[in-house]
Amino acid sequence: MAYDPNNIFARILRGEIPNTTVYEDEHVLAFRDINPLTPTHVLVIPKGPYVDYDQFAAEASDAEIAALVRAVGKIARAEGVAEAGYRVLTNCGADAHQEVPHFHVHLFGGERLGHMLPKQMKAK
Ligand code: AMP
């Protein structure tokens, strides 16, 4: 799938739509999910134009990949969830119900998260 430069996260990166930033560096922006599913729900995105995990894993530079992985850990610690635990999740493509076509990692925490894929989370 070709990258759509008008997807909502691209517009956030260009400053066209407000966001609640929790972390930013050369390669990464992280902000609070507008519809949080847990007390801590942060979206961590690369600044580069990658549609999904698959494209990011194949085409991003080592520096971009390292920055994103390191950022998730830094944010988890800054949010105070690292000790109790947290979940990192990315939806890639149609079967995973990815809604925004700019690669993003969800960071969930702040409560007991239950099983990884409870039945009610599965798309019908
Ligand atoms: P996914 O289904 O993995 O593509 O998740 C997309 C996520 O983006 C959802 O959790 C939405 O609540 C979130 N989202 C959509 N628009 C915005 C926005 N403008 N600011 C913050 N989060 C958003």
Side-chain angles (χ1 to χ4, degrees), residues 34-76:
I34 204 167
N35 182 25
L37 298 176
T38 52
T40 293
H41 186 176
V42 173
L43 300 172
V44 187
I45 73 173
K47 290 185 172 175
Y50 303 101
V51 172
D52 58 15
Y53 180 89
D54 193 61
Q55 187 187 18
F56 186 72
E59 297 178 15
S61 67
D62 290 357
E64 290 175 297
I65 292 170
L68 191 122
V69 173
R70 297 268 189 218
V72 172
K74 285 179 198 167
I75 296 159

Side-chain angles (χ1 to χ4, degrees), residues 97-110:
H97 213 272
Q98 181 178 356
E99 289 177 358
V100 179
H102 181 112
F103 171 50
H104 51 282
V105 165
H106 297 258
L107 169 56
F108 296 111

